[in-house]
Amino acid sequence: MATKRTTKKAETMAAKKAAKTVAEVKATAAAEVKAEPSKAEAVKTAVVETVKAATETVKAATESVKETAKEAVKETAKASAKTAGKAEAKKPAVRRTAKKAAVAAEEIFIQYAGKEFTTKDVVANVKKAWTEMTGKKEEDIQDIKVYVKTEENKAYYVVNGEAEGHYVEL
């Protein structure tokens, strides 16, 4: 218990001493600040002068950049005017059409049991039969598939994906 009291007294004494020291430092600092107001004003004046000088330097640099940009724009305009004049002087390109390659004539003949017909004939017969059966026009045909069965003497067909066993006789 005695140690607690002793430590408490020591703490309060240290706090009082610290408070005294702080008060002394504040008083000394206030006296120094009052004694040296001219130093603060001199620093303030120096800072203001430095800022003014920097501002003038920035203004001069900005003007220099503006002048350089104007010159660059003028040179670019002159160059584009020259190239535009050259482009107008050139003759337009002559377009040449490629010659179409000759398509080899293809015709397929089917012969069996003494009969002969072409695939074109079969497709034509299928189109005719389909238009008669549906009442639609040949232009309505998007795709057509023909299956020739020579042993049955028939050609089965599918038009636009519709397969219902339709056929034509060969």
Side-chain angles (χ1 to χ4, degrees), residues 25-138:
V25 168
K26 284 184 179 179
T28 308
E32 286 178 5
V33 168
K34 287 180 182 176
E36 298 180 16
S38 61
K39 259 190 183 180
E41 287 180 22
V43 170
K44 184 178 177 182
T45 309
V47 168
V48 169
E49 288 176 7
T50 307
V51 169
K52 285 182 181 178
T55 305
E56 289 178 16
T57 306
V58 169
K59 285 182 182 178
T62 304
E63 289 177 18
S64 172
V65 168
K66 284 181 182 178
E67 289 175 14
T68 307
K70 285 180 183 178
E71 290 175 10
V73 168
K74 287 179 183 176
E75 289 176 12
T76 306
K78 287 180 184 178
S80 64
K82 286 181 183 177
T83 56
K86 289 180 182 178
E88 290 174 5
K90 289 183 181 179
K91 293 181 181 179
V94 177
R95 293 185 183 180
R96 296 183 184 175
T97 56
K99 292 183 180 179
K100 294 182 181 178
V103 178
E106 295 179 3
E107 196 169 350
I108 299 174
F109 292 93
I110 299 174
Q111 295 178 340
Y112 76 96
K115 297 181 180 182
E116 179 180 296
F117 53 89
T118 64
T119 54
K120 288 180 185 178
D121 294 337
V122 174
V123 171
N125 289 341
V126 167
K127 287 180 181 180
K128 181 180 176 186
W130 183 79
T131 54
E132 288 175 359
M133 182 181 68
T134 60
K136 297 181 180 178
K137 298 179 182 177
E138 279 190 29

